[in-house]
Amino acid sequence: MKNTYLAISFILLVTYCDAQKKDSIPNNNFLSVKYDIVRLLPDVFVMKYGCICFGIESNFNKKNSIGIDLGYITDYGETKENGIGNISAKNIKGYYSSLEYRHYYKLTNRNKFYYGFNLSYQKTKTEREEFLINSSNYLNVITSSNNYYVNREVSASHINTGIKMQFSHFIFDPEIGFGLKYIKSATENQKGSPDHTYEVPYNKVYDSGEKLFPSFNYNLKIGWLF
């Protein structure tokens, strides 16, 4: 984490200096590489994990583009059930991918206003711990523990809007969107009784089941225009 924040700070410093030398927007550049800052931050309500997500956006003409994001999901340490909505987890790993179409409807020297549509898919494998209980002789006694896994898939689609701001080659790209999210999860190697811990704010059992929800999407990307 420390190295990641240092890298971001270095990029911001270099691009700021470059913007001071040249504040015009290159109009003939159609490829940009981006890094999603928001997805790097740990999830507040569920688990301590984030996504190291990089993306490429390519314009096929001046007002339309296609973007692809790929990311590696990793945890920031063990999560315990000691906060609002926290779900206990020993670790979590996975990947994230997204495909987005954008239409830039208003262009100025620095700002490009757009709306678009994206599809995303996320798959994770979460290691959790369960305690096995012996209920014989009317006494509930913990006899052992077992680590099991939750395989979880999240598919989503959103209608987005945002502003891509350019400072010479540096890009600052905030975006919000609304749509639908479909979550599906199932356990692997679970030996005890099912865990009925619910996710916040979806009100769905984390370990199992499937459900469709309204979804709010938000991104804050920085990048470089080539």
Side-chain angles (χ1 to χ4, degrees), residues 9-29:
S9 300
F10 177 76
I11 292 171
L12 291 173
L13 178 61
V14 171
T15 52
Y16 173 77
C17 294
D18 183 69
Q20 298 303 305
K21 297 178 181 178
K22 182 180 178 183
D23 197 32
S24 61
I25 304 303
N27 294 318
N28 59 341
N29 299 74

Side-chain angles (χ1 to χ4, degrees), residues 201-216:
Y202 303 118
N203 196 34
K204 173 194 169 297
V205 175
Y206 182 82
D207 280 7
S208 61
E210 51 190 284
K211 205 170 182 180
L212 185 68
F213 307 92
S215 179
F216 171 67

Side-chain angles (χ1 to χ4, degrees), residues 141-170:
V141 179
I142 297 176
T143 57
S144 62
S145 64
N146 174 59
N147 291 342
Y148 69 100
Y149 300 92
V150 178
N151 297 307
R152 189 169 181 268
E153 299 175 67
V154 180
S155 304
S157 61
H158 298 94
I159 296 174
N160 301 316
T161 184
I163 307 171
K164 182 160 73 172
M165 291 172 272
Q166 297 175 210
F167 304 88
S168 186
H169 289 269
F170 176 65

Side-chain angles (χ1 to χ4, degrees), residues 185-205:
S185 55
T187 59
E188 176 186 334
N189 196 41
Q190 189 174 34
K191 297 180 179 179
S193 300
D195 187 306
H196 294 292
T197 303
Y198 285 82
E199 298 182 52
V200 175
Y202 303 118
N203 196 34
K204 173 194 169 297
V205 175

Side-chain angles (χ1 to χ4, degrees), residues 75-207:
D75 64 82
Y76 298 147
E78 184 176 355
T79 304
K80 299 183 182 296
E81 292 185 29
N82 54 6
I84 299 175
N86 286 161
I87 295 176
S88 62
K90 299 184 76 65
N91 65 70
I92 180 171
K93 304 292 181 184
Y95 64 87
Y96 169 85
S97 60
S98 175
L99 176 66
E100 180 179 39
Y101 162 76
R102 286 183 177 182
H103 174 70
Y104 292 93
Y105 62 90
K106 183 179 179 181
L107 307 177
T108 68
N109 284 339
R110 175 165 293 177
N111 301 322
K112 294 185 177 182
F113 299 82
Y114 64 87
Y115 58 82
F117 174 79
N118 86 316
L119 299 170
S120 65
Y121 177 77
Q122 177 177 298
K123 186 171 184 179
T124 56
K125 187 168 187 175
T126 307
E127 183 179 3
R128 305 190 67 199
E129 185 178 22
E130 62 178 344
F131 296 97
L132 305 179
I133 299 175
N134 187 342
S135 300
S136 61
N137 299 324
Y138 304 99
L139 295 175
N140 294 328
V141 179
I142 297 176
T143 57
S144 62
S145 64
N146 174 59
N147 291 342
Y148 69 100
Y149 300 92
V150 178
N151 297 307
R152 189 169 181 268
E153 299 175 67
V154 180
S155 304
S157 61
H158 298 94
I159 296 174
N160 301 316
T161 184
I163 307 171
K164 182 160 73 172
M165 291 172 272
Q166 297 175 210
F167 304 88
S168 186
H169 289 269
F170 176 65
I171 298 170
F172 186 76
D173 191 353
E175 176 184 55
I176 60 171
F178 297 91
L180 295 173
K181 179 179 293 185
Y182 175 74
I183 302 176
K184 180 181 179 181
S185 55
T187 59
E188 176 186 334
N189 196 41
Q190 189 174 34
K191 297 180 179 179
S193 300
D195 187 306
H196 294 292
T197 303
Y198 285 82
E199 298 182 52
V200 175
Y202 303 118
N203 196 34
K204 173 194 169 297
V205 175
Y206 182 82
D207 280 7

